[in-house]
Amino acid sequence: MTNEIRKVLVLFAHPSQRRSEINLPLFQASQQTQGVTCVDLYQEYPTYRINIDREQNRLREHDVIVFMFPLYWYSTPAILKEWQDLVLEYGFAYGSQGTELFGKTFLCALTAGGKESAYREEGHNHFTIRQLLQPLEQMANLTGMQYIAPFALFGARTAAEEGRTQRHVEQWRKLLEALVAGRVDLNAAARCDMLNDDTERYIVGASR
Ligand SMILES: Cc1cc2nc3c(=O)[nH]c(=O)nc-3n(C[C@H](O)[C@H](O)[C@H](O)COP(=O)(O)O)c2cc1C
């Protein structure tokens, strides 16, 4: 925790935004938050021709990197994988000279169609979200970034009719503002399973 202003980069990946009920409001809330740079990857790269220099510069210029996406087949939509494969080059993100990401913070903000009860070892999907995202956790470890737990919404297709969307978006806004202000207890946030259970717990000075 630094209490210094931190620059946050949200990399948004949703291939069918016209049908999005929850990621789009999350992305729009991110766009309205000061100190946050928002990139819509599918809009910017509809043919997947990712500009590596531009993306590496974006990473250099930010302290906190967020992947924002709907869970697709227990992973990210394809463009985020392509982005990783192209942008996180040897000598930039890893290797003895590849230290550009050292000291940054990384997290996922995702939504899942399945219920939270399905994402347990004894549940329908057998693994928790944190377990399923382990390749991204290890990507962060290898590149020297601090990985903090995901911010997740479950049962995404029924969130609007069940009145859960607004609160989730508000929680996200609070978390983002706290990330910008350097008021997130990163060590506590790194240890838990998810940040959405009790978001204020990880924000220093938040009323609960
Ligand atoms: C191709 C595809 C794959 C999906 N895979 C999963 C999955 O593995 N697990 C899950 O819980 N939901 C899965 N879903 C549901 C989406 O995660 C869900 O529709 C999305 O989070 C809703 O967010 P949105 O309203 O912003 O689109 C999948 C949906 C699609 C279209």
Side-chain angles (χ1 to χ4, degrees):
M1 210 165 32
T2 59
N3 278 323
E4 279 171 22
I5 298 299
R6 305 185 90 217
K7 291 169 89 176
V8 179
L9 176 65
V10 174
L11 296 171
F12 177 51
H14 197 309
S16 53
Q17 289 176 28
R18 273 183 305 146
R19 294 172 53 199
S20 170
E21 292 178 14
I22 178 66
N23 279 274
L24 210 50
L26 287 170
F27 187 58
Q28 286 162 348
S30 311
Q31 288 173 311
Q32 290 158 6
T33 306
Q34 262 200 342
V36 179
T37 306
C38 294
V39 176
D40 181 342
L41 288 174
Y42 277 104
Q43 191 199 37
E44 205 159 317
Y45 304 115
T47 57
Y48 285 59
R49 289 171 61 92
I50 290 172
N51 182 328
I52 296 172
D53 287 343
R54 183 195 291 158
E55 295 305 314
Q56 289 183 345
N57 281 331
R58 280 178 171 151
L59 290 173
R60 284 190 186 95
E61 287 163 8
H62 292 83
D63 308 300
V64 180
I65 315 301
V66 181
F67 280 8
M68 176 176 279
F69 57 92
L71 193 70
Y72 277 9
W73 286 107
Y74 307 108
S75 182
T76 67
I79 203 165
L80 272 172
K81 183 63 168 62
E82 181 73 353
W83 181 96
Q84 283 178 270
D85 295 351
L86 295 178
V87 177
L88 302 181
E89 287 178 323
Y90 177 82
F92 172 80
Y94 70 102
S96 58
Q97 312 289 314
T99 57
E100 296 279 359
L101 303 182
F102 267 45
K104 298 182 191 292
T105 301
F106 177 84
L107 75 146
C108 294
L110 73 149
T111 66
K115 289 185 176 167
E116 183 166 2
S117 57
Y119 285 95
R120 294 187 191 150
E121 287 179 22
E122 69 281 9
H124 184 67
N125 291 318
H126 303 298
F127 299 99
T128 67
I129 280 291
R130 180 144 185 175
Q131 287 169 335
L132 289 166
L133 296 177
Q134 274 175 356
L136 292 173
E137 181 163 352
Q138 183 51 22
M139 173 202 80
N141 291 339
L142 184 79
T143 58
M145 296 194 280
Q146 181 172 20
Y147 182 87
I148 63 173
F151 181 85
L153 178 82
F154 297 92
R157 303 306 303 177
T158 55
E161 70 198 54
E162 291 167 6
R164 292 184 286 122
T165 306
Q166 200 179 343
R167 179 177 151 75
H168 189 75
V169 173
E170 283 314 310
Q171 293 293 95
W172 173 243
R173 205 189 291 272
K174 276 188 199 167
L175 182 64
L176 257 188
E177 286 170 356
L179 283 165
V180 171
R183 286 193 297 107
V184 172
D185 181 344
L186 295 176
N187 291 330
R191 281 193 301 268
C192 63
D193 270 344
M194 284 179 296
L195 295 177
N196 42 287
D197 280 345
D198 187 4
T199 310
E200 281 86 357
R201 174 195 293 263
Y202 308 101
I203 300 176
V204 177
S207 49
R208 299 176 59 195

